Amino acid sequence: MRNIITLTLAIVAIGCSWAAPKTSNQLRFDPTKSESRTMTMPDGSTVNYIAYERLYYVTNIEDSMFQYLNVYVPENATSKSPILLRTYVGGYMASRAGQPQAGDASGRALKEGLVVVIPGTRGRNSNIHIPKNDKKSGLKKGQVIYTGRAPNAILDLKAAIRYIRYFDRELPGDAEKIITDGTSAGGAMSALLGTTGNNSAYEPLLDAMGAAPVRDNIFAAVCYCPIIDLEHADMAYEWLYNCTDSRQQGDFEILAISDQLKAQYPTYLESMNLHAADGTLLTSENYLNYIKSEIIRSAQLAKNAGAEIPDSIGFKFSDDSGFGAPPINGGVNSPAGKAPLGRQRPASMQRGSKTVGDYIVNLDMTRYLNYVVSTQPLKTAPAFDTQGVAGQKASGENELFGDSSGSSVNFTEFGANTAGTELTDVVRHNVALMNPMNYIDDGASTVAEHWYIRHGARDRDTAFTVPINLALKLQNNGKNVNFLLAWNRPHSGDYALDELFEWIKKITSD
């Protein structure tokens, strides 16, 4: 850890040639530097708001293109208004501080009276060029330093949270009601912000950056298709998708890798000691049935709303509509599964355009998973830690855990052993800092009380088990979790905004 901090400070002191860094002596917020603006929403209505932009959230600024945030305040906001922090991190790459968008949660939040914060963050592709030799650090003129390798993105976001809280009296909005929102790697960032509040593991790095000396816990986290638990994601992926035609009829070497990873997952799954809502312990024997219940629940909700759910992808329907059909909230070992996470809705008694029974009573999971694969091909095996495994090139995640020189590294035991590389303690430490699953019950974090987690029911970018595990572990630890495998959704975010903001209104008015 000490070596990482020393290198970071050395880079900060030198700066860069293409994006001149800006180092200030103290954090600042000037309320007079603002601009009045108007946004036109998709429904034609307009929202008037005040913009405060380019607010640097650390004093030791390594990259002035990314390490600042923008704040947008609707005209009806008060000191009690909730704050939505929308991160646009994707693929663990750098993300500039943008402006609110009418079509996503940032614009909708302004319309609903929330203060909106959009931070920039460094990412695995952000870099600076050293302008001159520096004997003290050993850095040389023209050297390229990659500034956003793990865990720097989450450090930037934590620093942004601290800035908001540090200036809570000057900025409209309630810093005790910060709600984060992100998709994919941004969903992972939102989950990390929600699980690692005030955790001392990040403190030395935040101190070195010059983050505000205040708390960084949040009120609620919105996580769309979060790409998390990277050290176990390859196992989870093969445990779920090994049965599909794509794996079984594919390359022999890839299938062998898939078989090995699949065999490793049950030990990890059962080590988490996860329980369904009815108290049933989830094991490798009943967990697939649990996933099935979540997919059935998703499809049933869509069917109730009028969607056509085809039996060709594995669903089995009741013969009749009405009171004689089984509901979808049975026990975890029943065909339809357990009482689901999140809010339940009553089954529809109206047939409408449905051509089969009103109730979904079962699902052939292999058939359904083949349907998912037909909509978008599977990732290779491994899905994430690919570098040097069966001759494969580095993935974005391999880059994420590389060092400031621009290297890419293996970050799992399986990947390193198979590729013949070394998994260093530094990499292990950084992998741990990037996994929200490590902090939910560690006793050292202030974990957000409220969670809205969505993953598409045909999103194959990570296994269904990954977001389900997150939701279950949070629920098992007493958190308020609203979870759904959103029907027929691919890898995407900020959808069903009416539902999201109904949830936000409920949790912020309690």
Side-chain angles (χ1 to χ4, degrees), residues 99 178 333 335:
Q99 298 181 347
I178 297 173
N333 296 311

Side-chain angles (χ1 to χ4, degrees), residues 378-392:
L378 288 178
K379 295 180 176 182
T380 187
F384 297 94
D385 190 1
T386 59
Q387 179 165 290
V389 180
Q392 298 179 82

Side-chain angles (χ1 to χ4, degrees), residues 351-379:
R351 295 189 62 85
S353 62
K354 302 178 183 68
T355 58
V356 292
D358 280 351
Y359 289 94
I360 301 171
V361 296
N362 214 333
L363 174 63
D364 181 329
M365 279 297 291
T366 300
R367 195 170 176 183
Y368 182 79
L369 292 172
N370 273 309
Y371 160 70
V372 173
V373 175
S374 74
T375 67
Q376 187 176 11
L378 288 178
K379 295 180 176 182

